[in-house]
Amino acid sequence: MFVQSNLLRDLLPYFIRKLKAVYSESEAENIFMLYVHHRYKLNRYQISASEVRLTESELLDARDVVNRLQQHEPIQYILGETEFFGLKFFVDSNVLIPRPETEELTDIIIHENKQAQKIRVLDIATGSGCIAVSLSASLAQADVDAVDISIQALQIAEKNNELNKTRVNFFQLDILQPAVDFFGNKKYDVLVSNPPYVLRSEASEMEKHVLNFEPHLALFVEDDDPLIFYRRILEIGKKILNADGKIYFEINPQYAQSIVDVALKMQYTTAVTRKDISQKNRFVVVSGNMS
């Protein structure tokens, strides 16, 4: 037997020992807790006190998970789900794993728009749909649309919409292509986007569990035009954003001021940076469509 016993709690030392080349002890322990909660619906206290014994097939499942983790595959993809803003989301290698910073962005939008009687929201580059679904779940008065270039990502987003019983309308769209006919006469109060913003040149600095498994289409932007998505979304905003509407961006901190400058040059009234919990300039909020 590859573990000390078939007690569930004795899997933890096995996880820590086998993953020490990939993860710190605390990271390995957190991954173990996620795995056990997903498979057996037990919390941290219940695991430590548990006398649950695993079958041979359950032990082999645990060993398979550890083998995949040793290859840097994210635990969220192995389990097929993650949590975001208190909701469960399906994820696979067609969508990014939602980050805490994106939860912060979602929280900002909810806080600033919860008093509105009726708002129309557009989430651009929606991926798993985590922002759009969370906004729909938290803002009962919101009519939420979401677009993405990837059909595979949209299939995941639709599953998450159904899972969380929300009311998001998803559409396939390449925003870098002419989109005027797509939007027609629609007007929005809120545009939000977490577009690709990692430079290709930064790939060598990324951790393997991101670089080798998460979709490059959703991660990277070319070094010679790092603002391509922000500029395009601001252009679209001139046509579809209401005069008192807002655009919320998640950004690469090194381009915070550049994005602000582009927005002001395009005659939006205000464009301000906001810091994330790590005190990085992670968000830009643009308001006042003067067109």
Side-chain angles (χ1 to χ4, degrees):
M1 187 180 293
F2 57 91
V3 289
Q4 180 179 338
S5 77
N6 67 342
L7 283 170
L8 174 61
R9 65 172 180 262
D10 284 340
L11 274 181
L12 177 56
Y14 171 71
F15 268 65
I16 292 173
R17 184 177 73 254
K18 299 295 285 186
L19 297 177
K20 63 183 179 181
V22 182
Y23 294 102
S24 69
E25 182 171 332
S26 62
E27 289 172 328
E29 182 175 353
N30 287 336
I31 288 170
F32 172 76
M33 296 301 172
L34 285 173
Y35 167 73
V36 173
H37 179 71
H38 176 80
R39 290 286 198 264
Y40 303 103
K41 311 305 180 201
L42 299 176
N43 61 34
R44 188 178 293 264
Y45 171 76
Q46 290 170 326
I47 293 167
S48 63
S50 174
E51 293 296 322
V52 171
R53 292 188 178 273
L54 303 182
T55 65
E56 182 178 356
S57 63
E58 289 171 332
L59 288 171
L60 291 175
D61 174 72
R63 186 169 69 177
D64 177 64
V65 168
V66 167
N67 288 341
R68 292 170 68 179
L69 288 165
Q70 287 178 312
Q71 301 303 312
H72 302 273
E73 186 173 354
I75 185 64
Q76 293 90 343
Y77 288 162
I78 295 172
L79 301 180
E81 67 179 47
T82 192
E83 186 176 292
F84 181 90
F85 219 77
L87 303 173
K88 187 169 81 170
F89 284 85
F90 296 118
V91 290
D92 65 16
S93 58
N94 291 298
V95 298
L96 294 180
I97 297 166
R99 279 18 181 216
E101 296 85 354
T102 309
E103 284 188 306
E104 291 182 61
L105 177 62
T106 303
D107 189 57
I108 289 170
I109 298 169
I110 291 169
H111 177 76
E112 293 190 355
N113 293 277
K114 61 185 177 182
Q115 301 301 326
Q117 291 187 341
K118 182 73 175 176
I119 59 170
R120 173 168 277 179
V121 179
L122 175 64
D123 177 20
I124 299 174
T126 192
S128 66
C130 62
I131 295 176
V133 167
S134 297
L135 292 177
S136 181
S138 297
L139 297 172
Q141 75 278 30
D143 180 4
V144 184
D145 293 341
V147 298
D148 201 283
I149 189 175
S150 168
I151 293 294
Q152 292 80 9
L154 289 170
Q155 290 170 346
I156 295 294
E158 289 279 15
K159 287 178 62 177
N160 289 323
N161 195 31
E162 181 178 352
L163 174 68
N164 290 290
K165 297 179 172 58
T166 44
R167 312 164 305 282
V168 182
N169 306 301
F170 290 99
F171 305 95
Q172 195 275 334
L173 179 67
D174 179 357
I175 64 162
L176 297 182
Q177 300 301 316
V180 176
D181 291 342
F182 175 84
F183 292 107
N185 294 321
K186 281 187 177 180
K187 292 286 186 179
Y188 292 90
D189 304 291
V190 170
L191 305 186
V192 55
S193 188
N194 176 22
Y197 62 67
V198 180
L199 300 179
R200 290 280 179 188
S201 60
E202 296 176 317
S204 60
E205 304 169 15
M206 299 181 73
E207 295 180 349
K208 289 183 180 179
H209 67 267
V210 177
L211 186 62
N212 293 352
F213 290 93
E214 298 202 54
H216 288 196
L217 181 66
L219 281 170
F220 292 113
V221 66
E222 300 301 330
D223 287 48
D224 62 356
D225 196 359
L227 304 187
I228 184 171
F229 290 102
Y230 299 102
R231 189 168 57 251
R232 180 59 178 146
I233 292 166
L234 288 165
E235 289 171 354
I236 291 172
K238 299 302 288 184
K239 295 178 170 56
I240 68 172
L241 188 68
N242 283 324
D244 58 350
K246 291 185 177 181
I247 304 175
Y248 297 85
F249 288 128
E250 184 173 328
I251 67 166
N252 185 329
Q254 66 179 301
Y255 292 109
Q257 189 57 51
S258 298
I259 295 169
V260 167
D261 291 344
V262 170
L264 295 177
K265 187 175 181 179
M266 294 177 67
Q267 294 191 312
Y268 285 93
T269 306
T270 63
V272 296
T273 60
R274 301 230 183 138
K275 296 184 184 299
D276 63 17
I277 197 170
S278 300
Q279 296 305 301
K280 293 183 178 180
N281 288 325
R282 182 65 65 185
F283 316 112
V284 167
V285 180
V286 178
S287 60
N289 182 11
M290 297 170 65
S291 62

